[in-house]
Amino acid sequence: MSEERLMSKKKPSYPVSKKLDIFLDQYNRKIEIPIFYEDLLRFAGSVVVYDNEGNDTLWVRVYYSDSERKEIDLSLKMVYSILHSDGTDRIFQYLNVDAVDYCTFGNSKPFRIRIRNILNDNFIYFYVKKADASRIYGLELEHMLSPYNLNFLVYKDTLIEEHISGIPGDIFIKNMLPNCTDSQKSQLAKEFVKFNERCMIQLLGDMRSYNYVIVPIHDFDHVVFRIRAIDFDQQCYEGKLNVYRPQFFKENLQMVELVQGRLLEDSIEQYKVEERSIIAKRIISANKRIKRLINAAKVDKISSPENVERLKMEIFTYTKDLKFKKCRNMGQILNLTLDFVKRNYENVSMRQIIDKKIEVK
């Protein structure tokens, strides 16, 4: 299926609602910062950034006039301190702003900031973006429902995100996948099944290969791989259910073929059940926080009426749950989706308890 037919051409940016703003404040995501996204747009010029092989990365390195550079550097150091340290200026003397890069590709048009420790040359990235409610819901859901914690801040119309380390999926598939061992390919196939299921349940869309990273982890005498989403712009926006299933993007074809060639149908179903179960446990564990986030989403507008209508009917067809037909917005659809996963898990657990009691008798 072509990308144009699968997804809308342009997703609008949605402002942070009052209820979402209250949620962010309640959970220490809303913190005053000394610089805004618009401040970084005042660059005087730019140069193209190329990778090690001389390819255009679609990023440009921007530079500022002398009169603004000092203030911007200090502000970015303070943002780093708020995000990663105690929020004071005592570490400024050890920090240098190595680069400010700007990307015009995609919806968020982010700035990528590289901060280097001058004592040991270690460096770290973070991103400055225009705050978009869809993306914030995606980040918060990923923080609560995936195996990974996310560090981000929101202040007015500016979003600060920490960098998610890993090998971009498209680069991994092209350069590293062919050299993986048979056992590593089987493990990658398992991870892709779980990743696919997690994205669908969270309603996180557009997980083409360049929107997630592969993270190699050394475990005793072998390497295991994890798959992490890095782009959350398409949270609860599109109307087509397949947009929330990475398996349907042509960029992921090799990963799909890996699953088909390495896993039996029973194994695929087993890994889906495992992922649904662990997400259900996380929903139960983070019950109060998730409820507050969903309550904000249920009164928020983060998609079009047409997309809402289509998605609720496609999920109804998939689940046969009549409640989806009554949904009026994406927040209500998301609420029912998570509740559906939670109820199924609790029902299975209750049946197991009853069966064990019968066996004991």
Side-chain angles (χ1 to χ4, degrees), residues 237-289:
Y237 175 73
E238 292 286 349
K240 300 173 186 176
L241 180 59
N242 284 349
V243 172
Y244 305 102
R245 304 168 77 184
Q247 70 186 79
F248 286 100
F249 287 99
K250 64 180 185 293
E251 291 86 352
N252 295 327
L253 179 60
Q254 287 179 260
M255 297 297 283
V256 173
E257 291 173 343
L258 204 63
V259 172
Q260 294 172 336
R262 295 280 166 178
L263 302 179
L264 298 174
E265 284 296 324
D266 287 347
S267 294
I268 293 173
E269 186 58 33
Q270 172 198 338
Y271 296 140
K272 287 181 178 180
V273 170
E274 286 180 7
E275 193 63 24
R276 288 196 294 268
S277 298
I278 198 166
I279 289 176
K281 291 175 184 177
R282 292 185 183 119
I283 293 171
I284 295 168
S285 177
N287 184 43
K288 186 178 291 186
R289 183 166 180 164

Side-chain angles (χ1 to χ4, degrees), residues 53-75:
E53 297 178 355
N55 301 312
D56 188 347
T57 62
L58 303 178
W59 290 84
V60 294
R61 185 147 297 166
V62 302
Y63 55 88
Y64 299 86
S65 64
D66 291 341
S67 60
E68 292 195 332
R69 181 73 203 201
K70 184 176 181 181
E71 180 183 350
I72 287 174
D73 276 10
L74 284 173
S75 296

